[in-house]
Amino acid sequence: MSRLADMGTIRGTNIGGVFLIEPFIRPSLFDQFNTSTVAELPVDEWTFSAALGKAEARRQLEEHWDTFVTRDHLEEMAEYGINWIRIPIGYWAFNLTADEPFVDGQIPYVERLLGWAQEIGLKVELDLHGAPGSQNGYDNSGHRVSPQWLYSRINVDRTLDALRQMTQLAIEWSDVVYGIQILNEPSRWKWPVSQILEFYNEAYDLVRGMTDDVFFMVHDTFLGPNDWGQLVSANWTDALMDTHIYQMFDNYIITLSESAHIDMVATMAENVTRFDRTSIGVVVGEFSAATHDCTRYINGFGRGSRWDGSLEGVGHPLCPLATCTCTGDYGGDYTQFSASYRAFLSRYVDAQLGIYDELAGWFYWNFRTESAPEWDYLLGVQQGWFPKFPRTAEPLVSKEEPEVSDIGSASPAPPSARRLRRAALALGAAALLAVVV
């Protein structure tokens, strides 16, 4: 029997904004820039790295990778009842060309995170979050630009190469990695669904040609559940459909009252729960406690909000209140939240979990932020609007001798296959990679 059988409910968090930075998760990385025009401001990891240059970008990002997520964060989440984490990674961690401004070097930190997950007992989903040319044009792809991904076979081949290396990483950490998401949020508005399915099938053949021992996970491209059949193939095994459910990126939904937002949870999830799960399960890979878009940079660096009417193209405030300001309950300081708003957040989260727990499970976005309270899982539990569950994560036994991390350690251990491959990926040393793969 597959080890994936009878897994129980996934209760996870996203480790977002670490190995692919997003302005709203860590705005301090972007607030450092002072340019003469808004057009020159970095808005994503591509322009962030280009503005700083590779040496300084590497220095700042290595500090970020080293400190923004820690073992203590993972242990705390496990104590609160989290049993999975989803780790978004950009393609450039695996496949970077000299003409791109990105910097690589993420993999040793990813492996350190996998080691912590192993020690704590968390299962892991590896998520290819950004593809060459951008699969959706959002900053969460690493490059906020008109999407070019599927226009180039070179882009597709590079995406598959990154996925191959990610799958190899999953195989080497098979006691920890239980899922691979082949690509986050490819845009059905840019390319026909049939072309996206072609990529999905290529990716399936690649992953299953290497391992049968992970969930094969695909995103729904924001199609409604009634149309998900266009995105799956009958021969897939151990597959999960990933859907992201948010209530703040729509001009109509932003106008709803608190009670209407809670009612909307069931409306938005109704067809999700009806999807035929005999061949493919459903996981809500992203959701949050937010029902407004006041969060700084949530619509992208330098952009405003629908809530107060400052978002380009909106023209007037859309919030359901007499005064639409991004302060108090709708600001970035949770200490200013009223008791009634905190109670609403709790009811809204409970309404979502009541449905998502009946699916394959869920991953909250995000595990933490700098100043986006409704998007911060750890803060939500600490402040009482996200519930705790009994701890189910149990420490796993390593399949190889313990090794001392080469990150921040003065006592290096003898090189293992994992460590040799880690060096090969970081240095781009194809010859060394061939020795250990």
Side-chain angles (χ1 to χ4, degrees), residues 224-245:
N226 290 337
D227 296 315
W228 284 354
Q230 302 175 49
L231 285 167
V232 302
S233 292
N235 66 310
W236 290 359
T237 60
D238 288 324
L240 290 174
M241 177 66 71
D242 171 36
T243 189
H244 300 169
I245 302 179

Side-chain angles (χ1 to χ4, degrees), residues 14 59 63 95 98 114 134 173 196 207 214 243 261 282 323 366:
N14 282 274
R59 186 192 69 78
E63 180 181 6
N95 184 320
L114 295 176
S134 179
W173 290 89
I196 296 175
V207 172
V214 292
T243 189
H261 275 294
V282 180
T323 302
N366 194 35

Side-chain angles (χ1 to χ4, degrees), residues 32-308:
Q32 65 181 296
F33 297 101
N34 181 17
T35 61
S36 58
T37 67
V38 172
E40 296 174 346
L41 284 170
V43 297
D44 51 32
E45 187 160 339
W46 177 286
T47 51
F48 171 91
S49 300
L52 293 176
K54 285 190 179 287
E56 179 60 16
R58 183 177 300 280
R59 186 192 69 78
Q60 291 194 23
L61 287 173
E62 285 182 347
E63 180 181 6
H64 173 65
W65 301 333
D66 191 40
T67 60
F68 197 66
V69 58
T70 67
R71 191 188 190 285
D72 286 346
H73 290 137
L74 269 58
E75 182 62 54
E76 184 177 2
M77 288 190 289
E79 290 300 326
Y80 293 160
I82 292 299
N83 55 17
W84 278 68
I85 56 173
R86 177 177 183 244
I87 307 177
I89 310 171
Y91 74 90
W92 53 94
F94 304 99
N95 184 320
L96 180 63
T97 59
D99 60 339
E100 294 174 314
F102 293 126
V103 297
D104 54 11
Q106 297 89 343
I107 300 305
Y109 296 90
V110 173
E111 292 204 277
R112 183 177 68 171
L113 190 56
L114 295 176
W116 291 335
Q118 181 189 63
E119 294 167 4
I120 294 167
L122 296 170
K123 295 178 176 63
V124 172
E125 172 196 335
L126 295 178
D127 160 40
L128 189 61
H129 215 69
S134 179
Q135 74 275 19
N136 55 34
Y138 303 144
D139 57 17
N140 65 33
S141 74
H143 198 185
R144 198 175 92 184
V145 67
S146 176
Q148 301 297 312
W149 170 57
L150 277 186
Y151 288 146
S152 164
R153 183 64 212 185
I154 293 175
N155 287 341
V156 175
D157 288 342
R158 291 183 68 199
T159 306
L160 292 170
D161 177 68
L163 185 59
R164 177 188 61 79
Q165 295 188 56
M166 179 179 283
T167 304
Q168 183 61 39
L169 186 64
I171 292 169
E172 294 174 5
W173 290 89
S174 61
D175 50 357
V176 178
V177 178
Y178 279 69
I180 292 177
Q181 180 152 1
I182 60 170
L183 190 60
N184 180 70
E185 296 183 354
S187 174
R188 67 176 174 85
W189 296 285
K190 190 71 174 180
W191 298 286
V193 172
S194 60
Q195 292 184 18
I196 296 175
L197 177 59
E198 286 180 16
F199 170 77
Y200 283 5
N201 279 320
E202 279 195 78
Y204 180 85
D205 290 343
L206 185 154
V207 172
R208 286 292 178 250
M210 299 177 69
T211 178
D212 291 322
D213 218 16
V214 292
F215 283 116
F216 177 79
M217 307 172 76
V218 298
H219 184 255
D220 65 9
T221 74
F222 300 109
L223 277 174
N226 290 337
D227 296 315
W228 284 354
Q230 302 175 49
L231 285 167
V232 302
S233 292
N235 66 310
W236 290 359
T237 60
D238 288 324
L240 290 174
M241 177 66 71
D242 171 36
T243 189
H244 300 169
I245 302 179
Y246 292 125
Q247 289 196 34
M248 77 295 297
F249 299 123
D250 179 88
N251 286 0
Y252 165 69
I253 294 179
I254 208 80
T255 68
L256 298 179
S257 65
E258 290 182 349
S259 60
H261 275 294
I262 291 176
D263 292 341
M264 181 64 72
V265 170
T267 300
M268 295 180 74
E270 181 178 9
N271 289 331
V272 172
T273 60
R274 293 178 179 175
F275 184 67
D276 181 8
R277 283 172 279 153
T278 59
S279 59
I280 183 169
V282 180
V283 62
V284 180
E286 296 183 18
F287 72 104
S288 81
T291 54
H292 64 79
D293 67 340
C294 280
T295 301
R296 190 160 58 122
Y297 308 148
I298 192 63
N299 292 311
F301 188 85
R303 292 174 173 169
S305 72
R306 298 167 184 82
W307 185 267
D308 66 5

